[in-house]
């Protein structure tokens, strides 16, 4: 039996087979120098791409609909585009490797499409890029993410947010990573999925553990490979106990979250994409308090279009059946990176070009999001909020931009709905000027993960600093109290969507401060409802 000690990022017991995830190589293979062979490799890759797309077409048509499936159809036609094929063949003739020829031709054609005046042709730039990326991946022998035949425990050195979103979530019983911090987005995702997770686990990945039986104890931060009978039966008992505790919490399902003093607290869920709606409903969420839009941007080669964003938001809004959905605009940057925006590498990404800073400077990134959000608001109760606010002028600019978007939609005759407009308070600057900011918006949602990081000057990603990352620090709690007070004075509602919102040791404190909403991982809702129902305190 091999034992690994880690830091628990989410509790629970999982028992299953280990799947070891290795990073993919994305280097283009060198040309073999033989143009006939390279052309042959390209032709074979084209055939594989066609088969993949045919499968994807059927799946998309069944699961999403004919309209979305047509995008795949267009891509299949592009595989036969004579100009593209000629460009690749010419490059190969001139000594280029097949993968490089597919990539460079894709770049040339994609730029040419993007420069066209016709909106339809412009939109095809994305398809060309998608198809050439697919061909390159096939030629480089890369898989699209990880495939798991049966449910199991995912073991990895580390997982970036982009890698995590591509994993077969329905098959993963637990995450175990050798790196990562308990405040990272991958840990947050494990909480959304409601599965045990360990980070910074001391476990030898070179040991032959792939496929072996494994147990993860997310309560104590331990995992076992090839557990002996005694350990296995102890863990099974613990698993049953956890199941029994959850069963008892079921008494709170469907009950209102009201304190003994009669104060209603909204218990909402944090999610990352439309597939999480079911998890939120299963958790008995009263709404969505944070939809992290950036998860729609990760793990892909191009930015989602307005249409794709609209479909995703509409699915969430409809899925929540009239309950409020708070959509946060893109918070890319820092630990969540995508290549296709071409953002510069920065020395201090957490203090850099991220969140609303990007949107305020790049209309082409901000516009599709806001259009999609307003369009989705036709289908339910939508609130929109903006990350990383530090100044009043930013909020005023956002409001001007939003007014412009609504005018645009009206002029185009496109239906849009009303939304509440709020901000995330997650920088000390925003907390300190919360009184001024409260006059500008309909609500506040406190991002305690970043508020703690910036107040304590501690990188939330740096595993070495986990010990110093103290979200209970009096400075953080003082700012939180100030934020709630500013909201109350202005008569707006105020919630917490950072991880601290789920900390039951602070629930009473938050109610005393005057918070109206806690938005947490779906799996924590019933436990917090019990806590709220037992609370005897009142806002002070
Ligand atoms: C936060 O900072 O607390 C928050 C909710 O946003 P994120 O974790 O996505 O940065
Ligand atoms: Mg944040």
């Amino acid at each position: 039996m091999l034992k690994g000690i880690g830091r628990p990022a989410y509790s629970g017991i999982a028992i299953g087979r280990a799947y070891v995830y290795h990073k993919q190589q994305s280097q283009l293979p060198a040309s073999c120098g033989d143009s006939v062979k390279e052309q042959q490799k390209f032709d074979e890759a084209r055939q594989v791409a066609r088969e993949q797309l045919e499968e994807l077409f059927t799946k998309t048509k069944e699961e999403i609909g004919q309209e979305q499936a047509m995008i795949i159809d267009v891509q299949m036609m592009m595989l036969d585009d004579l100009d593209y094929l000629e460009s690749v063949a010419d490059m190969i003739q001139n000594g280029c490797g097949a993968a490089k020829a597919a990539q460079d031709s894709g770049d040339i054609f994609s730029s040419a499409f993007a420069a066209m005046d016709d909106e339809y042709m412009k939109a095809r730039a994305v398809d060309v890029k998608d198809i050439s990326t697919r061909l390159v991946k096939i030629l480089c022998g890369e898989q699209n993410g990880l495939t798991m035949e049966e449910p199991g425990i995912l073991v990895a050195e580390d997982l970036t947010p982009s890698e995590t979103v591509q994993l077969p979530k329905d098959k993963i019983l637990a995450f175990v990573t050798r790196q990562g911090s308990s405040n990272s987005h991958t840990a947050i995702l494990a909480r959304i999925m409601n599965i045990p997770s360990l980070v910074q686990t001391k476990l030898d990945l070179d040991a032959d553990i792939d496929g072996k039986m494994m147990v993860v104890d997310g309560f104590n931060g331990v995992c076992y490979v090839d557990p002996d009978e005694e350990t296995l039966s102890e863990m099974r008992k613990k698993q049953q106990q956890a199941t029994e505790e959850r069963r008892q919490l079921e008494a709170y399902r469907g009950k209102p979250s009201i304190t003994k003093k009669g104060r209603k607290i909204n218990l909402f869920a944090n999610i990352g994409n439309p597939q999480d709606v079911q998890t939120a409903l299963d958790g008995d969420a009263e709404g969505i308090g944070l939809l992290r839009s950036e998860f729609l941007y990760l793990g892909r080669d191009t930015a989602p279009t307005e249409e794709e964003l609209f479909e995703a938001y509409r699915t969430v809004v409809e899925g929540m059946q009239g309950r409020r959905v708070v959509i946060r605009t893109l918070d890319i940057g820092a630990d969540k990176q995508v290549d296709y925006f071409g953002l510069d590498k920065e020395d201090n990404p957490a203090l850099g070009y991220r969140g609303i800073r990007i949107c305020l400077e790049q209309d082409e990134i901000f516009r599709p999001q806001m259009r999609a959000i307003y369009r989705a608001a036709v289908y339910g109760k939508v609130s929109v909020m903006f990350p990383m606010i530090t100044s009043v002028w930013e909020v005023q600019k956002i409001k001007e931009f939003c007014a412009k978007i609504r005018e645009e939609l009206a002029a185009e005759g496109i239906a849009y709905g009303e939304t509440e407009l709020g901000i995330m308070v997650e920088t000390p600057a925003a907390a300190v000027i919360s009184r001024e900011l409260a006059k500008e918006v309909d609500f506040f949602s406190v991002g305690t993960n970043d508020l703690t990081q910036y107040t304590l000057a501690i990188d939330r990603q740096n595993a070495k600093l986990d010990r110093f990352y103290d979200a209970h620090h009096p400075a953080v709690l003082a700012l939180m109290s100030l934020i709630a007070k500013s909201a109350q004075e202005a008569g707006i509602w105020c919630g917490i969507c950072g991880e601290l919102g789920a900390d039951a040791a602070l629930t009473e404190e938050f109610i005393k401060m005057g918070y109206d909403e806690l938005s947490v991982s779906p799996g924590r809702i019933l436990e917090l409802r019990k806590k709220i129902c037992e609370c005897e305190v009142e806002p002070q």
Side-chain angles (χ1 to χ4, degrees):
M1 177 170 83
L2 196 65
K3 185 174 172 183
I5 311 269
R7 190 175 276 269
Y10 198 66
S11 59
I13 305 282
I15 303 174
R17 293 211 176 278
Y19 278 81
V20 180
Y21 175 81
H22 293 287
K23 299 250 175 237
Q24 295 172 349
Q25 298 289 322
S26 54
Q27 275 173 358
L28 300 188
S31 163
C32 63
D34 180 338
S35 58
V36 176
K37 274 197 186 142
E38 290 300 305
Q39 184 63 47
Q40 201 178 346
K41 275 194 220 159
F42 177 79
D43 293 339
E44 282 164 14
R46 223 174 110 220
Q47 186 50 32
V48 176
R50 190 185 315 283
E51 284 159 17
Q52 286 180 352
L53 286 170
E54 275 165 5
E55 202 176 308
L56 199 59
F57 178 84
T58 316
K59 198 163 169 241
T60 311
K61 198 167 150 194
E62 277 166 21
E63 290 174 9
I64 308 177
Q66 178 75 18
E67 205 177 320
Q68 285 294 312
M70 287 319 286
I71 295 174
I72 315 289
D73 199 42
V74 169
Q75 291 198 357
M76 284 200 275
M77 285 183 336
M78 281 180 180
L79 268 182
D80 294 325
D81 184 273
L82 289 179
D83 292 333
Y84 176 72
L85 296 179
E86 206 174 292
S87 164
V88 173
D90 281 352
M91 285 187 192
I92 291 176
Q93 277 302 322
N94 288 321
C96 201
K100 177 121 180 64
Q103 181 170 294
D104 289 355
S105 299
D107 288 348
I108 293 168
F109 279 75
S110 158
S111 308
F113 276 116
M116 288 181 186
D117 288 334
D118 183 295
E119 283 303 317
Y120 177 82
M121 296 311 277
K122 229 188 190 82
R124 299 288 69 79
V126 176
D127 296 315
V128 177
K129 188 96 185 89
D130 236 19
I131 198 80
S132 67
T133 307
R134 182 178 294 278
L135 286 164
V136 172
K137 278 191 175 158
I138 295 167
L139 285 159
C140 293
E142 288 180 18
Q143 296 166 353
N144 269 327
L146 169 97
T147 43
M148 289 169 80
E149 266 115 52
E150 56 174 296
I153 292 163
L154 193 75
V155 186
E157 182 62 32
D158 198 10
L159 291 165
T160 65
S162 313
E163 284 167 329
T164 320
V165 292
Q166 294 183 78
L167 298 171
K169 292 207 200 103
D170 53 331
K171 297 256 173 58
I172 299 174
L173 302 175
F175 286 117
V176 175
T177 58
R178 280 179 26 103
Q179 294 184 34
S181 86
S182 34
N183 307 300
S184 65
H185 283 86
T186 307
I188 290 171
L189 205 79
R191 286 174 209 142
I192 291 177
M193 290 166 66
N194 203 14
I195 56 171
S197 160
L198 304 186
V199 294
Q200 294 172 56
T201 315
K202 291 189 178 53
L203 186 68
D204 183 3
L205 284 193
D206 290 333
D208 181 23
I209 56 178
D210 201 23
K212 297 237 166 96
M213 196 52 163
M214 192 169 174
V215 178
V216 179
D217 177 353
F219 295 107
N220 290 334
V222 192
C223 63
Y224 305 91
V225 181
D226 265 345
D228 54 34
E229 262 318 305
E230 197 187 331
T231 310
L232 202 56
S233 90
E234 189 196 329
M235 289 297 135
R236 285 209 174 106
K237 222 184 268 165
K238 221 166 162 181
Q239 194 176 37
Q240 274 163 9
Q241 242 168 29
T243 310
E244 175 54 24
E245 275 163 27
R246 287 216 64 81
R247 199 191 60 74
Q248 286 180 12
L249 284 176
E250 283 300 311
Y252 289 88
R253 184 173 291 280
K255 293 263 157 60
S257 312
I258 298 181
T259 65
K260 286 216 156 101
K261 299 280 182 189
R263 184 167 167 78
K264 167 87 181 84
I265 303 293
N266 289 328
L267 258 183
F268 282 21
N270 293 347
I271 63 167
N273 55 51
Q275 291 92 288
D276 299 333
V277 167
Q278 196 50 51
T279 321
L281 293 172
D282 292 347
D284 206 24
E286 297 163 25
I288 301 297
L290 169 63
L291 167 57
R292 286 184 165 94
S293 284
E294 56 278 8
F295 281 101
L296 305 172
Y297 287 71
L298 298 172
R300 11 182 328 144
D301 303 312
T302 52
T305 60
E306 174 187 329
E307 231 29 57
E308 285 175 291
L309 290 170
F310 166 66
E311 281 303 332
Y313 295 143
R314 191 180 68 160
T315 308
V316 175
V317 172
E318 285 187 336
M320 290 310 292
Q321 305 151 19
R323 300 175 182 95
R324 184 168 69 213
V325 174
V326 183
I327 303 176
R328 174 177 78 185
T329 56
L330 179 64
D331 188 12
I332 217 80
D335 67 320
K336 293 165 285 187
Q337 296 290 343
V338 294
D339 293 336
Y340 49 79
F341 284 145
L343 303 176
D344 293 334
K345 284 256 171 295
E346 296 176 306
D347 288 340
N348 278 315
L351 302 182
Y353 197 48
R354 66 170 281 199
I356 198 62
R357 299 168 185 178
I358 297 177
C359 287
L360 281 175
E361 297 223 318
Q362 302 200 38
D363 280 8
E364 69 282 10
I365 297 180
F366 204 12
R367 173 168 282 103
Q369 292 176 70
M370 289 315 304
R371 284 176 63 99
I373 291 170
Y374 279 121
R375 287 173 58 198
V378 171
Y379 299 88
K381 208 166 162 190
V382 172
S383 303
V384 56
M385 68 177 176
F386 304 91
M388 289 297 293
I389 296 292
T390 53
S391 303
V392 172
W393 72 262
E394 293 165 339
V395 182
Q396 290 165 342
K397 280 273 167 248
I398 289 168
K399 283 159 74 179
E400 279 168 27
F401 188 81
C402 290
K404 212 165 74 187
I405 294 291
R406 290 194 301 269
E407 275 167 29
E408 260 178 38
L409 290 168
E412 290 167 35
I414 296 174
Y416 67 90
E418 291 300 320
T419 65
E420 277 184 320
L421 187 145
I423 55 167
M424 292 205 54
V425 184
E426 55 182 343
T427 64
V432 172
I433 62 160
S434 51
R435 207 182 226 174
E436 274 63 53
L437 288 167
K439 295 177 193 150
E440 299 285 339
V441 297
D442 300 316
F443 68 94
F444 284 159
S445 186
V446 183
T448 53
N449 310 334
D450 278 317
L451 187 62
T452 308
Q453 146 162 280
Y454 296 124
T455 304
L456 304 184
I458 287 178
D459 178 357
R460 62 193 259 191
Q461 288 291 110
N462 188 335
K464 276 206 204 108
L465 299 174
D466 264 10
R467 184 174 155 226
F468 297 93
Y469 182 98
D470 174 15
H472 288 214
H473 193 290
V476 177
L477 296 179
L479 289 176
M480 292 186 73
S481 175
L482 173 65
I483 298 163
K485 203 158 177 206
S486 301
Q488 269 170 349
E489 277 172 16
I492 62 171
W493 67 264
C494 183
I496 302 170
C497 64
E499 294 302 308
L500 202 60
D503 189 335
L506 287 174
T507 310
E508 283 199 352
E509 194 60 32
F510 294 148
I511 293 173
K512 279 201 242 165
M513 286 180 187
Y515 279 94
D516 306 283
E517 182 217 84
L518 298 175
S519 188
V520 300
S521 312
R524 304 297 306 279
I525 286 172
L526 293 182
E527 176 194 337
L528 285 172
R529 183 168 297 142
K530 177 173 188 282
K531 185 85 196 169
I532 290 167
C533 292
E534 289 166 358
C535 263
E536 303 208 21
V537 297
E538 281 189 287
Q540 291 170 344

